[in-house]
Amino acid sequence: MMRHMADEEQQAGTPSGPSGPSAQDDGRAVRARRRAALAGARKRLREGLPGTLRERLAELTRTAGDVHDLDEQADLYGDGVVEALEKRVAGLLGFPAAAFFPTGTMAQQAALRCWAGRTGNPTVALHPLAHPEVHEEDALSVVSGLRPVHPTTEPRHFTADEVRGLGEPFGTLMLELPLRDAGFLLPTWDELTDLVAAARERDAAVHFDGARLWESATHFGRPLSEVAGLADSVYVSFYKSLRGHSGAALAGPTDLIAEARSWRHRYGGNLFQQFPAALSALAGLDRVLPELPSYVTHARVVAAGITEAFAASPAVPWFRVHPEPPHTQEFQVWLPFDADVLTEAAVSQAEETGVALFGIWNRETAAPGLSMTEVSLGAPALEWTHEDVRAAATDFASRLPRA
């Protein structure tokens, strides 16, 4: 599966075609056009991140004073505002301690190493579409000496019975909630509690990759602390749903987090100063986190509008909105066209109408002509009615080639 990003500003797509200097120049021009069209649309489902350093600094200046005392001494090696962020996250997730990390990859490396030491087993049971398996260049094995095993290869969450039936011992069960590359999928609450129980029966620790856990509580109908409390440790991200500058946190028992801090230092993550990331994370917790349930609810409206439009369009021979209804404020849309064709339709729609319903499309399987895009909602999406979505999807479909 190809790596893809939910934010079109972060990846303007790489057009297919010949290679070489001239082709590289053409590719840069295409990416620049795509980025400008999608970022400049007047009507979008998600606000774009400020593009320039000046804009990013201005945004931080606007919000920072509301979330922390700016007359306080700047942080040094994790004290001050970083420590305040850690305490805030630990309280939200219902754990006694949390540690800030510059990246989620590092946070999970530390967590899984710590659990391997405590259980005496370096084997980690996780999904083959989980982030460490798809996006981290085999860091679990190459850097940390851990060995992944997969209870299933199906593009869905594995079941409790599959965990119970895994043919070898494992020290940690890692669950990515939601499972992004399978469609931002979440199990039901009963399925999740059964999965945790199955891991306990196997004497394994349970770790949640909760990069997007913040928005998952709506699906489960439980407080965030109750969801996180099923696990022994939880990682959360600050720059995805919460729109922070960067960074992550690992929450868990006090002794585990103390050891994780040592691993953070060994991995080079104990940075001198981190106040921009910490302040933007606190702003996200204050400003964005309370709004996430409304985004999740509205994703169902957006998905239904797309479904109705594509079902009625003669230009769309087949499509899939996945999952339907969405489990979070993000979901996939699949169409049987080349990715460049679909991206061009999205870009031309944004340029000509000022409406950007979709971003970049990617070829996601070995099947030729089958492509997928991720739909991600933010505050601007709440202004879209069902009819707005249906009209935009109908216009998008009219730009596709007829068979």
Side-chain angles (χ1 to χ4, degrees):
M1 178 169 285
M2 295 170 55
R3 184 168 185 169
H4 43 71
M5 303 295 288
D7 298 317
E8 57 269 21
E9 298 83 2
Q10 296 178 13
Q11 179 179 339
T14 301
S16 59
S19 58
S22 177
Q24 289 175 2
D25 289 343
D26 290 344
R28 280 192 287 269
V30 169
R31 288 192 294 273
R33 176 191 165 225
R34 291 174 176 179
R35 188 178 296 112
L38 297 172
R42 61 175 173 77
K43 192 173 184 65
R44 307 175 51 177
L45 289 176
R46 185 173 182 173
E47 61 273 71
L49 292 173
T52 67
L53 292 173
R54 186 181 303 279
E55 289 170 335
R56 283 299 257 166
L57 288 170
E59 179 186 51
L60 185 62
T61 301
R62 278 197 311 273
T63 60
D66 296 332
V67 298
H68 198 76
D69 181 5
L70 299 187
D71 291 322
E72 178 183 283
Q73 195 73 21
D75 62 296
L76 295 175
Y77 292 114
D79 65 2
V81 66
V82 177
E83 192 173 62
L85 174 61
E86 292 172 339
K87 290 179 180 177
R88 176 83 177 277
V89 171
L92 284 169
L93 298 180
F95 284 96
F100 181 86
F101 281 78
T103 71
T105 297
M106 186 185 295
Q108 299 211 112
Q109 293 281 313
L112 295 173
R113 287 195 77 139
C114 290
W115 287 122
R118 281 161 170 72
T119 63
N121 189 330
T123 301
V124 180
L126 75 171
H127 199 282
L129 293 179
H131 196 278
E133 292 290 77
V134 180
H135 302 296
E136 297 179 16
E137 298 189 6
D138 299 319
L140 278 186
S141 302
V142 175
V143 179
S144 297
L146 304 175
R147 189 170 70 88
V149 295
H150 306 143
T152 185
T153 57
E154 295 295 319
R156 55 162 173 77
H157 279 286
F158 41 74
T159 67
D161 285 342
E162 287 168 334
V163 171
R164 294 184 178 99
L166 198 59
E168 59 182 295
F170 55 93
T172 308
L173 179 73
M174 196 200 91
L175 292 170
E176 183 177 320
L177 300 174
L179 186 56
R180 182 262 183 96
D181 281 342
F184 304 96
L185 296 182
L186 288 165
T188 66
W189 179 254
D190 287 344
E191 289 168 343
L192 181 59
T193 56
D194 285 348
L195 279 166
V196 172
R200 306 287 186 221
E201 293 168 18
R202 299 294 300 266
D203 296 321
V206 176
H207 171 74
F208 285 173
D209 174 343
R212 296 172 173 82
L213 190 70
W214 304 115
E215 58 263 39
S216 299
T218 302
H219 171 82
F220 293 123
R222 299 291 198 284
L224 188 61
S225 59
E226 186 175 352
V227 178
L230 292 177
D232 297 299
S233 61
V234 176
Y235 138 69
V236 290
S237 174
F238 297 124
Y239 78 88
K240 295 182 173 68
S241 306
L242 298 184
R243 300 176 56 77
H245 284 194
S246 63
L250 176 67
T254 303
D255 61 334
L256 181 96
I257 298 305
E259 184 184 355
R261 292 180 191 276
S262 295
W263 281 111
R264 181 183 64 188
H265 198 169
R266 294 179 183 120
Y267 281 131
N270 193 30
L271 305 184
F272 178 57
Q273 288 191 319
Q274 301 170 97
F275 64 87
L279 287 169
S280 65
L282 286 169
L285 291 173
D286 274 7
R287 294 167 176 262
V288 182
L289 181 59
E291 303 301 319
L292 289 178
S294 65
Y295 304 166
V296 174
T297 300
H298 202 63
R300 298 161 191 165
V301 175
V302 174
I306 293 171
T307 295
E308 286 187 18
F310 284 175
S313 173
V316 179
W318 175 90
F319 72 94
R320 184 172 182 186
V321 173
H322 176 68
E324 193 172 15
H327 295 172
T328 70
Q329 84 277 18
E330 297 177 292
F331 57 92
Q332 296 177 342
V333 179
W334 294 75
L335 283 172
F337 295 89
D338 183 79
D340 285 349
V341 169
L342 293 168
T343 298
E344 176 58 30
V347 171
S348 67
Q349 181 180 35
E351 289 175 332
E352 295 170 17
T353 70
V355 174
L357 176 62
F358 300 118
I360 303 304
W361 292 74
N362 295 282
R363 178 180 173 183
E364 287 296 312
T365 72
L370 185 61
S371 303
M372 183 273 289
T373 191
E374 292 177 334
V375 177
S376 180
L377 276 65
L382 300 180
E383 300 175 4
W384 291 62
T385 66
H386 176 90
E387 286 306 315
D388 290 337
V389 176
R390 198 176 192 279
T394 299
D395 177 72
F396 175 85
S398 73
R399 299 169 184 273
L400 301 178
R402 298 294 182 94

